[in-house]
Amino acid sequence: MSQLTYLRGGNVGMVIAAGADRLPQVLHWGADLGTLQANELTELLRAAELPVVPSGLDEPYRPGLLPEASHGFNGTPGLQGFALGRPPGPQPQFDQVHNVSAGPTRFSFEARDTTAKLTVRTELELDTHGVARMRHTVGNIGDTPYALTSLYCHLPLANRATELLDLTGRWIRERTPQRRPLTYGTWRREGRHGRTGHDAPLLMVAGTAGFGFRHGEVWGAHVAWSGDHVTFAERLPEGYCQLGGGELLGPGEVILAPGNDYSTPWLYAVWSDAGLDGISGCLHEHLRARAHHPERPRPVVLNTWEAVYFDHDLDRLSALADVAAEVGVERFVLDDGWFRGRRHDGTGLGDWYVDEQIWPQGLTPLIEHVTGHGMEFGLWVEPEMVNMDSHLARAHPDWVLRARSQDPPSWRRQQVLDLANPQAYSFVLQRLSDLLSEDDIAFLKWDHNRDLIDTLHEGAPAVHGQTQAVYRLLEELRSAFPSVEIESCASGGARVDLEILQHTDRVWASDTNDALERQRIQRWTGLLLPPELVGSHVGPPLAHTTGRTASLGFRAGTALFGHFGIEWDITATTPQERAELRRWITLYKQERALLHRGVTVRVDHADPAVWVHGVVSTDGLQALFAVVQMATSVAARPGPISLAGLSQHQLYRVEVLDLTDNADTGAGDFVPSTRGNLELSGRALMRVGIEIPTLNPERLLLLRVRPADTDDRPPLPMPT
């Protein structure tokens, strides 16, 4: 007799069947089914009974949370491995299920395979925002070591999910979407970078035909792990369809000694019948509910990299801090180049001591100058890496992570420091602790500028242990210095996942500050993360990564919809540029409560050259939208745009915000029209939309939406 568990959270429901001799199976994952009585659950179980198919199993097998090949499942197995030192045994079959625990939002069980001498514990949670997460723990109860090959979490998909979307990319072109039919077979994405990767799928989404941002039924899965990983979707001719994933283990990477166990990363899973924005909304609210989610307003950042690169000088950086304070910056971050011997990217990594030649009095004079302006001070570090041209590498060549006598291929002229080595780990922890103790440092920009290649630790693949060591290092620092915030940067966006965000406070989405590229990158990073966790900076007019030139309005309007910052030598700006930048910073400070607590919306517009996105307050009463011209449109006019996510019956006033130098900074007009502010109901704004002027490529129109009966907000202060 099966025991049925019904989990509910948000608008999502999950029905799980558990028996004493078969691993639990998910009968339903999708829309909340409402209140179900015991007899209805029993009838649901009867309705889900599988028929016997021709030339198939006499007793049909429904794959569960851990599908077993030993029961006839021929898709991606949940667990694979073998016992060392004895002949191959049968495939694992967990036929003794016990300790089933169920509540309104949690389900867990334990099971045993007495032949393979393994145990498994599975935990499944569904939170109040509709976000599910699951993990397995496998234990060795035998008397010989067990080599674990793979252990993946699985969840079923409805057969009506016929399309797939995931992301790929490269350095400075992260988060590139790709779509394909979900046909028979397996679509498997493997990340083999030793970090999450620029090409990580981020969120693998299956959905009904033609799903978009605001329509369609969709299911998504994310593997929360910062090392090698697998995410997959598969459809089998037997009629099964599923999403899953887990850690990608190297040969011999996890060998369980008798009595030891291994836990998978959490697999996060989301469902919505309101398109991609629906699952993003669930994930954003889930992240905002974390105990350690940043609560105070996200400060305006100035990062010095594209302002000075390696050219560090106290007077020059003090002048930069002066202008930063003048335009309204709240956090000043000193990037690469402050430590011993660091004149270019080929030397010094690992020597985490302030360079006495550049900074004879240490960083204290600069830090006091910065904090004297009321700004926080932040510092760039790359603790997991080492240049071979460094005192550290010369003193401890054995601390370099390698698989053979010669070094792995060089990448940015650096190698990886073996943090699973207790001595190397202790050295890095001590140096970072000393830096944070000696000076008033409020923020670390934590970089990771290469993949892990050809690496072993004590004869076994090293990615698993290295990743766990990084998590421990971050947690020790956060425990010792709880007020210090940390950014996850990895050549830009190569370490963006939900587990690194358990240990850090924001991510750097990409090393490019080219606003056109950033529009794409931020749009799709937002599939998983809310804006306040994604650093977004105003770069110089000429982007050094792409050579593209963009107006200040386009650059600042792009950065506005993230954690706003600047990465530009603003000492070389004109008074007009500074004045305009100051207006954008003022607007960000006025609106960041909305931007960082509201609901992200992305509109499905008919013209692919026109993107519409925004943030709507949770009560639906106010919003900020950007209409972005990504390229030249084929049509002479783009057609009406819909302002999604508003309250249908509310009457709104829509105004254009023009912050350019010659702007009237009060309520703007729809240039070139003279119709002034519009007042329309939410129903009309969403269903009829409004016509906008034809924009040149790489331009944006910023729209502020407020209730029509709200007093006019005072204009943005004009600089003196």
Side-chain angles (χ1 to χ4, degrees):
M1 183 69 179
S2 292
Q3 171 184 337
L4 290 181
T5 297
Y6 180 27
L7 306 183
R8 302 174 70 186
N11 296 314
V12 179
M14 301 183 84
V15 179
I16 306 164
D21 60 351
R22 187 69 60 88
L23 291 184
Q25 304 160 350
V26 175
L27 305 183
H28 168 76
W29 169 36
D32 187 342
L33 301 176
T35 302
L36 294 178
Q37 304 301 320
N39 65 312
E40 291 180 281
L41 285 171
T42 302
E43 291 300 298
L44 189 63
L45 180 61
R46 290 182 57 208
E49 290 179 359
L50 296 175
V52 176
V53 300
S55 190
L57 293 169
D58 293 333
E59 182 182 348
Y61 172 70
R62 182 192 300 275
L65 300 172
L66 188 70
E68 299 158 291
S70 57
H71 279 294
F73 180 69
N74 58 16
T76 300
L79 185 151
Q80 288 184 301
F82 57 93
L84 297 177
R86 67 184 191 204
Q91 294 280 352
Q93 185 176 113
F94 295 94
D95 53 5
Q96 295 183 10
V97 179
H98 57 100
N99 291 340
V100 176
S101 174
T105 60
R106 295 175 60 89
F107 174 82
S108 68
F109 68 90
E110 297 175 14
R112 180 183 297 259
D113 180 342
T114 56
T115 303
K117 299 189 183 306
L118 297 173
T119 62
V120 68
R121 173 178 171 81
T122 296
E123 303 162 80
L124 176 62
E125 304 170 354
L126 179 65
D127 75 3
T128 57
H129 311 291
V131 176
R133 68 174 190 168
M134 180 175 70
R135 69 179 176 187
H136 301 304
T137 300
V138 64
N140 179 7
I141 56 173
D143 54 8
T144 59
Y146 187 84
L148 186 65
T149 305
S150 62
L151 182 59
Y152 300 143
C153 297
H154 296 63
L155 282 169
L157 285 172
N159 284 333
R160 58 187 176 275
T162 58
E163 290 187 14
L164 275 178
L165 179 143
D166 62 7
L167 307 179
T168 185
R170 60 173 177 84
W171 179 69
I172 70 169
R173 186 60 192 265
E174 296 89 344
R175 317 287 172 253
T176 300
Q178 52 186 12
R179 293 183 75 135
R180 66 189 61 245
L182 177 50
T183 53
Y184 290 104
T186 304
W187 176 243
R188 178 182 173 100
R189 295 290 308 281
E190 296 184 351
R192 298 179 179 270
H193 301 282
R195 53 183 178 172
T196 319
H198 293 100
D199 62 342
L202 199 69
L203 194 68
M204 184 172 285
V205 179
T208 51
F211 69 85
F213 284 115
R214 305 291 297 174
H215 66 278
E217 189 178 7
V218 287
W219 296 257
H222 168 82
V223 177
W225 180 246
S226 309
D228 294 346
H229 59 281
V230 174
T231 316
F232 60 84
E234 66 184 2
R235 182 188 301 278
L236 302 178
E238 290 77 11
Y240 308 128
C241 194
Q242 59 185 354
L243 277 175
E247 184 179 4
L248 179 61
L249 297 175
E253 190 159 20
V254 173
I255 296 179
L256 298 176
N260 285 3
D261 58 29
Y262 162 86
S263 294
T264 67
W266 287 104
L267 179 79
Y268 284 78
V270 281
W271 170 89
S272 174
D273 59 0
L276 297 172
D277 278 3
I279 58 176
S280 293
C282 295
L283 286 161
H284 294 182
E285 290 308 304
H286 166 84
L287 289 165
R288 287 168 175 165
R290 300 172 304 160
H292 67 278
H293 191 77
E295 288 297 325
R296 68 187 181 98
R298 299 292 75 213
V300 178
V301 176
L302 184 137
N303 190 72
T304 66
W305 177 243
E306 291 190 34
V308 302
Y309 297 101
F310 292 108
D311 185 14
H312 285 203
D313 174 81
L314 176 58
D315 291 341
R316 182 180 182 187
L317 287 162
S318 296
L320 184 62
D322 293 340
V323 180
E326 176 192 336
V327 298
V329 168
E330 297 162 306
R331 174 182 287 164
F332 184 95
V333 180
L334 183 65
D335 209 289
D336 197 354
W338 57 268
F339 47 97
R340 285 180 183 167
R342 190 66 164 179
R343 303 296 180 270
H344 52 74
D345 66 7
T347 63
L349 279 180
D351 297 339
W352 301 111
Y353 297 87
V354 177
D355 192 315
E356 299 88 343
Q357 294 184 20
I358 302 175
W359 303 99
Q361 297 176 276
L363 295 176
T364 303
L366 177 63
I367 293 173
E368 290 180 347
H369 188 83
V370 167
T371 57
H373 279 299
M375 297 184 289
E376 298 175 351
F377 182 83
L379 196 64
W380 178 96
V381 293
E382 193 176 0
E384 300 157 70
M385 301 296 158
V386 62
N387 288 129
M388 299 311 291
D389 184 5
S390 67
H391 295 295
L392 181 66
R394 286 187 286 271
H396 299 285
D398 55 313
W399 291 3
V400 175
L401 194 55
R402 56 168 71 89
R404 57 200 80 228
S405 57
Q406 69 266 32
D407 292 330
S410 181
W411 183 311
R412 207 188 179 200
R413 296 187 282 181
Q414 64 191 51
Q415 296 292 343
V416 182
L417 200 63
D418 184 0
L419 292 181
N421 180 317
Q423 293 176 304
Y425 179 97
S426 296
F427 170 80
V428 172
L429 176 61
Q430 188 64 54
R431 286 309 313 136
L432 294 178
S433 298
D434 288 347
L435 285 167
L436 294 174
S437 299
E438 291 164 1
D439 279 306
D440 186 4
I441 297 171
F443 175 81
L444 289 179
K445 180 180 175 67
W446 187 297
D447 216 336
H448 181 291
N449 276 310
R450 64 158 295 160
D451 285 2
L452 276 61
I453 301 171
D454 197 33
T455 55
L456 295 178
H457 175 80
E458 297 183 350
V463 172
H464 177 79
Q466 182 79 359
T467 306
Q468 289 188 320
V470 171
Y471 293 156
R472 289 196 306 273
L473 180 60
L474 286 164
E475 281 312 296
E476 285 205 60
L477 287 168
R478 286 164 66 91
S479 177
F481 304 96
S483 64
V484 175
E485 294 189 2
I486 302 175
E487 174 184 78
S488 171
C489 176
S491 315
R495 191 152 63 183
V496 176
D497 63 79
L498 293 188
E499 187 57 32
I500 198 65
L501 276 165
Q502 288 294 102
H503 310 279
T504 58
D505 300 282
R506 79 171 203 172
V507 300
W508 184 233
S510 179
D511 274 346
T512 186
N513 286 313
D514 179 328
L516 187 67
E517 298 296 336
R518 271 295 184 136
Q519 283 285 338
R520 298 186 182 98
I521 291 164
Q522 291 170 199
R523 183 181 185 89
W524 292 103
T525 303
L527 192 61
L528 183 69
L529 304 184
E532 65 269 23
L533 296 182
V534 182
S536 183
H537 293 179
V538 180
L542 178 66
H544 84 148
T545 53
T546 64
R548 184 182 282 119
T549 300
S551 69
L552 177 52
F554 189 63
R555 284 143 50 216
T558 298
L560 182 69
F561 289 88
H563 182 177
F564 188 94
I566 305 164
E567 200 154 336
W568 176 20
D569 184 5
I570 53 176
T571 63
T573 55
T574 66
Q576 292 77 17
E577 287 174 319
R578 292 188 198 182
E580 183 177 343
L581 184 58
R582 194 156 52 243
R583 285 193 290 271
W584 281 104
I585 290 172
T586 300
L587 176 65
Y588 170 76
K589 291 177 179 178
Q590 287 178 348
E591 302 292 349
R592 61 185 160 190
L594 165 65
L595 292 166
H596 297 165
R597 287 293 179 267
V599 179
T600 296
V601 296
R602 291 154 294 198
V603 177
D604 299 295
H605 193 270
D607 187 341
V610 178
W611 287 8
V612 183
H613 67 86
V615 180
V616 181
S617 63
T618 54
D619 60 10
L621 292 182
Q622 53 183 317
L624 200 63
F625 284 93
V627 182
V628 187
Q629 191 73 34
M630 297 293 292
T632 303
S633 294
V634 175
R637 61 178 182 82
I641 61 159
S642 168
L643 301 185
L646 302 175
S647 176
Q648 290 198 47
H649 303 294
Q650 175 67 45
L651 184 65
Y652 293 97
R653 177 183 301 131
V654 182
E655 57 179 325
V656 173
L657 299 181
D658 186 353
L659 277 69
T660 57
D661 183 53
N662 296 318
D664 167 12
T665 56
D669 289 341
F670 280 91
V671 180
S673 127
T674 57
R675 63 189 171 203
N677 297 332
L678 285 174
E679 293 192 1
L680 285 171
S681 70
R683 181 187 295 270
L685 289 170
M686 290 189 290
R687 298 192 178 185
V688 179
I690 56 177
E691 292 282 359
I692 62 165
T694 300
L695 301 173
N696 290 328
E698 300 170 38
R699 295 290 188 274
L700 62 78
L701 193 67
L702 200 61
L703 304 178
R704 184 157 60 190
V705 181
R706 295 290 187 271
D709 57 357
T710 301
D711 292 339
D712 285 344
R713 183 181 292 240
L716 298 173
M718 290 293 290
T720 57

